[in-house]
Amino acid sequence: MELLDTAVVPEHAHELKREAREFAEAHIAPNAAEHYESGAYPWEILEQAMDVGLVAQDIGEEYGGSGWDLHQILAVAEEFYRADAGIALTLQLASFGTAIVEEYGSETQKETYLRPVAENEQISGLAVSEPETGSDLAGMETTAEKDGDEWVLNGEKYWVGNGVEADWVTLYAKTGDDETNRYGNFSMFIVPTDTEGYDAEHVPEKMGFRASKQAHIELNDARLPEENLIGTEGAGFYMLAEFFNYGRIVVGGHGIGLAAAAIEEAAEFVHGRRAFGRNVSEFQAVQHILADMVTEFHAARTLNWQAADRVADNDAAGHWAAMAKVKSTETATACAERGMQLHGGRSVLTENRIARVYRDVRVPVIYEGANEIQRNLIYNQARW
Ligand SMILES: Cc1cc2nc3c(=O)[nH]c(=O)nc-3n(C[C@H](O)[C@H](O)[C@H](O)COP(=O)(O)OP(=O)(O)OC[C@H]3O[C@@H](n4cnc5c(N)ncnc54)[C@H](O)[C@@H]3O)c2cc1C
């Protein structure tokens, strides 16, 4: 059964989707179990993906990228995540945060920072979350204070993908203290990771997404030239809100890829496993579970692709992006849970793909804004 068919995918993304499938089958899927066990950063696979033009190509052509649009990024996400979430996240995060520089940065910033990422000489990251704050974007405590013609950064960031490996990160910091304008107190900065006062180490080992690496960053009087501010001072919250609308469509794709993996694994298992003198797939109760899984999958996927259109058209983007993220990532958790049950005792063998998927699906319901926050957005941004 082809779950990730092209029926809902616009034609301009078909060729890229085919290339992503080919790459995922040749390089991601065969290495997934090994990376899961070792938890090693998949440098080799990242470089192979760079060689075939599948990394950081969301950056525009004028800065050396391929200018992939949201639909193309989503198509790649579905394929990569079906093969393995941890490796997929590493490949997709190589240009994380660059969209903010591309949208709001100066020409000099774009030439200096975007081009090396697009040309796969550097990788980036996005540093927003903190040890004490994740969901409350207006409650972050890392500060950036102006001192002459420099910004001085102090504070901590947590969970930052590539925070150790990246050459630079787009970082969110507090630049104001206006109680009456809570959302206007934050700004975005380009922070090279070799800046004095920037120290990063990996967060402890995770149970899922093991081939991706996140960092705990400490900023102690890290000084940046004033030109490293991105766009307007005080506009950081709004920049992020827009950025996350796009990101949540792609995270929906993470859920879709994982859900597809769970359904494939479950279907294959029950069609080969025998009990009571017949294939397990012959029990109607089992067939109904698979029927529900595939129905939910297509409902989520259709919503996700429709939401991609809405976000691309800036039509109630926040509302649709949040719905897509909730539905697709929770379809993944539901499919993984059912897939585990259908595997019986073998479900808990860590060497089995279903056990990997089961652990990975815990993450997209959290990152890019926990689903509870998404529900707040769905309600608050609806035109009731
Ligand atoms: C593998 C991984 C990769 C990540 N990558 C990055 C990255 O590259 N860059 C980055 O900046 N961050 C990253 N994150 C961080 C992620 O975005 C945060 O974990 C997420 O936003 C939730 O924040 P928190 O963990 O601090 O949870 P908290 O904010 O402490 O919330 C805990 C829980 O409380 C509940 N909750 C909180 N607020 C509300 C509310 N208003 N209403 C109802 N319920 C609520 C929710 O259930 C929530 O899950 C990553 C996280 C993971 C796990």
Side-chain angles (χ1 to χ4, degrees), residues 96 126 128-129 134-135 159 161 214 363 366-368 370 372-373 376:
F96 202 34
L126 176 72
V128 177
S129 307
S135 299
W159 288 122
Q214 287 74 33
V363 173
I366 301 292
Y367 65 23
E368 211 98 354
E372 289 74 17
I373 303 301
N376 294 346

Side-chain angles (χ1 to χ4, degrees), residues 198-216:
Y198 176 108
D199 292 298
E201 59 177 26
H202 288 139
V203 302
E205 286 298 331
K206 307 185 299 295
M207 70 167 213
F209 275 68
R210 289 180 41 72
S212 73
K213 291 287 161 202
Q214 287 74 33
H216 178 186

Side-chain angles (χ1 to χ4, degrees), residues 23 43-57 91 94 116-123:
F23 183 84
W43 282 112
E44 203 177 311
I45 303 169
L46 180 61
E47 279 161 21
Q48 287 163 340
M50 286 171 165
D51 289 346
V52 294
L54 288 171
V55 173
Q57 297 312 300
L91 301 190
V117 176
E119 291 177 354
N120 296 149
E121 283 158 12
Q122 294 189 353
I123 59 176

